[in-house]
Amino acid sequence: PLRKIERKGESNLVDRSKTTKNLTPIGRVDPNGFAELLGTEVDEEDVAGEPVGGKAASKATRGSTPSATNSGATANPKTTTTATPKGSVSASGWLSWPKLCWHNALCAVFICLIAVSAGGGAFAYFSHGSDSLLPSIAVPDATALPTERVRAETASAVLRPQYQPSPVEREWARLVAEVDPRECQHAWSNGSRLMARLERDVASSAVFEQSSSFTVGPESQGAALVWPIEPLVSFLRWPAALSPGHTTRAAIMNKSYYQLAPVRAGSRRFLFFDIGASLYSSARAGGDGGSSLRWFRNRYQNLTGSPQPFDHIYAWEGQEYNATVLWDSFPAQVVPFVSYYNVRADARPNAKHNPLRVLTQVARLDDHVVMKLDVDHQATQVALIQQVLGNRRISALIDELFWEHEVAGSAMGCPRLWKGRSGHGWSTMRFDTSQGRGGTLAESYELFGRLRSLGIAAHSWV
C-alpha cells in the first residue's frame, strides 16, 4: 500500500447547511420526517484565509445569509417541500427518507405476505449490481459480501432519494470526459480548456449557485423533500481553487462548499464509519496531520445539536499506534462509543477487516450511516467503492459518503500549481490509468455520479 504522503488539511471550514430554525433532535419526528438542517459554527481553526463564497468573501451564495463576522458568507440551503399527490410517503414521518419502512404493524403483515408468496426471491433486488455510467469498471465478487443475514426490514418498501445533477455539473462531466487528463501541469495551466472553463464558472458564480439536488417522495402523500448537494466540478475540490487569487494550499483544502445531507428524524441509530481514521486529536481537526474523527464529530454536533452525535463510531487505521497514545487521543466521553481497529482495511469480500462486511453485520436500514474513505491506496479504495456499487444491500445502508479519490489528471498531482512543496499532494503517487481501473479524473466523475445515482450523498473528501 502507498504510504500517506501528507495528512489531509482544510481551511475556513463552514457548513453550508446553516439555518436559524429550531433543532429537531435525532429520534424525534418533525413535521417533514427530518431533523432540521443545521450548520456549523466557524471554528477559529477552520479559518485560514480563503473566502467561503465565489467572487469575494463578502458575497453570499444563493440561498445564503451573510455572516455576522468577516469570515465570509455561509450558505443556507433549506430542505424544500413540494406538494405532491397522495402516495406512500407521509409528511408526518410515517415513512422516513432514505431507508423507508411501513408502519410497524403494516410492515409485519407486508413482510409475512412476501415471505409466504415469494420466499427468498423477494430479496434479490438488494444484491444485484448497478448498471449505469461506468460499466467498464469491473465489480469483483461484490455480491460475495454477506447477504444471507437479510433482515425483515430489507423486504419492506425502500425508497431512495433521486439525484438530479445541475447543469454546471453535467457540463463539467462532459468536458472532463472529452479532455480526459492524465497529467496535471498542462491540463490545469493557464489557457487550457479546463482552466478557461473554471475561470468562467467562478467569475459567473455558476459553480456556487447551481447546486445539484436530491429529491425523495415524488409519489408521496403531502410533500416531496428536496435538498441540495455541491455539484461535481473542476478537479473535485473547492470549486474556486486554482482560479485567480486562490492558487494556495488553503484553497485546495477548503471544505466550506460541502452541503451536508439532512439527518433523518426517527433514525434508530446514527453510525459513523471512518476508514483511514488517524488519531482522534492530532493537529487541527481535519487539518494537516489532523483528525478526521474529531472533524466529523464537531460538524455533526452542530448539525444535530447533540454533544454525542454518533451512537457508535467504527474506525480503521493502518498506521500502527501505541495503545496508550491511541486511546489518550480520545476524550473520555467518546471512548464508550468507539470500535477502533488499528489495522489496514481489507478490501477482499468477506475479509475480517473489510469495513463493508462489518457494515452489513451491524447496520440496519433504519440507521443513519455516514462513511469516510481515505486510505491513500487506489486499489483498496476502488475495490471498496466497487462493492458499494455492485451490491444494493450495501449501498442501501449508506446515507452519506466522503471519499478522497486519488487519480491521475487532478491538479492535486502538481503542488506547484497551488504553492505546495515538492512531494506534497499526490505528486509522488502512481496510478493505474487502464480503462475501468478508476485511476483517472474522468472515471472519478463517473464513480461519484454512480454513487449519487444510488441515493448516496457522495462528497469528494480532501
Side-chain angles (χ1 to χ4, degrees), residues 190-231:
N190 290 332
S192 69
R193 291 181 64 188
L194 296 173
M195 279 304 300
R197 179 64 197 237
L198 175 61
E199 291 173 3
R200 188 180 78 188
D201 285 347
V202 171
S204 68
S205 294
V207 289
F208 294 102
E209 294 178 351
Q210 292 186 28
S211 292
S212 299
S213 64
F214 284 101
T215 303
V216 69
E219 305 166 355
S220 65
Q221 178 181 4
L225 300 173
V226 182
W227 63 96
I229 187 170
E230 69 279 359

Side-chain angles (χ1 to χ4, degrees), residues 363-438:
R364 291 186 0 185
L365 290 176
D366 53 355
D367 293 326
H368 190 88
V369 175
V370 174
M371 180 176 289
K372 189 218 79 180
L373 175 59
D374 181 12
V375 297
D376 290 354
H377 188 254
Q378 179 185 347
T380 297
Q381 295 191 139
V382 172
L384 290 172
I385 293 298
Q386 288 171 345
Q387 289 163 25
V388 173
L389 294 172
N391 192 325
R392 195 62 62 93
R393 162 89 170 118
I394 297 171
S395 64
L397 292 170
I398 302 172
D399 295 283
E400 194 156 22
L401 174 69
F402 297 80
W403 174 31
E404 182 175 31
H405 186 197
E406 295 91 353
V407 293
S410 168
M412 289 302 300
C414 291
R416 286 185 296 177
L417 295 174
W418 35 270
K419 297 181 176 63
R421 294 194 296 271
S422 177
H424 278 196
W426 306 343
S427 57
T428 61
M429 295 183 176
R430 296 295 176 265
F431 306 104
D432 184 350
T433 60
S434 304
Q435 182 67 28
R437 295 294 185 179

Side-chain angles (χ1 to χ4, degrees), residues 13-63:
L13 311 175
V14 183
D15 258 351
R16 298 186 61 193
S17 50
K18 193 78 173 178
T19 182
T20 57
K21 293 186 178 181
N22 294 329
L23 171 72
T24 303
I26 295 178
R28 298 182 184 179
V29 177
D30 67 5
N32 290 322
F34 282 98
E36 291 289 351
L37 277 170
L38 292 186
T40 63
E41 298 301 324
V42 182
D43 298 333
E44 180 179 350
E45 66 187 16
D46 291 345
V47 182
E50 282 295 337
V52 176
K55 297 180 180 179
S58 61
K59 177 178 175 59
T61 56
R62 177 177 295 176

Side-chain angles (χ1 to χ4, degrees), residues 60-244:
T61 56
R62 177 177 295 176
S64 67
T65 54
S67 171
T69 69
N70 293 326
S71 61
T74 304
N76 182 24
K78 297 179 181 178
T79 301
T80 303
T81 60
T82 306
T84 56
K86 293 183 179 180
S88 59
V89 181
S90 168
S92 67
W94 191 37
L95 299 180
S96 297
W97 165 86
K99 300 160 188 171
L100 307 168
C101 183
W102 297 101
H103 185 276
N104 290 342
L106 293 178
C107 190
V109 174
F110 178 69
I111 294 165
C112 290
L113 290 174
I114 288 179
V116 171
S117 62
F123 308 126
Y125 171 80
F126 300 97
S127 61
H128 73 69
S130 180
D131 57 3
S132 62
L133 288 177
L134 197 56
S136 58
I137 289 188
V139 184
D141 299 324
T143 55
L145 284 161
T147 55
E148 68 277 5
R149 297 178 63 253
V150 179
R151 299 181 177 90
E153 78 274 8
T154 307
S156 67
V158 176
L159 183 61
R160 296 290 283 176
Q162 299 298 307
Y163 182 57
Q164 181 61 44
S166 66
V168 72
E169 176 175 324
R170 292 181 184 275
E171 292 163 8
W172 267 100
R174 283 194 294 268
L175 177 60
V176 171
E178 290 174 7
V179 176
D180 194 14
R182 303 299 176 95
E183 55 78 42
C184 51
Q185 194 61 50
H186 293 95
W188 296 98
S189 63
N190 290 332
S192 69
R193 291 181 64 188
L194 296 173
M195 279 304 300
R197 179 64 197 237
L198 175 61
E199 291 173 3
R200 188 180 78 188
D201 285 347
V202 171
S204 68
S205 294
V207 289
F208 294 102
E209 294 178 351
Q210 292 186 28
S211 292
S212 299
S213 64
F214 284 101
T215 303
V216 69
E219 305 166 355
S220 65
Q221 178 181 4
L225 300 173
V226 182
W227 63 96
I229 187 170
E230 69 279 359
L232 301 171
V233 298
S234 188
F235 57 104
L236 302 179
R237 291 277 171 144
W238 183 51
L242 294 192
S243 66

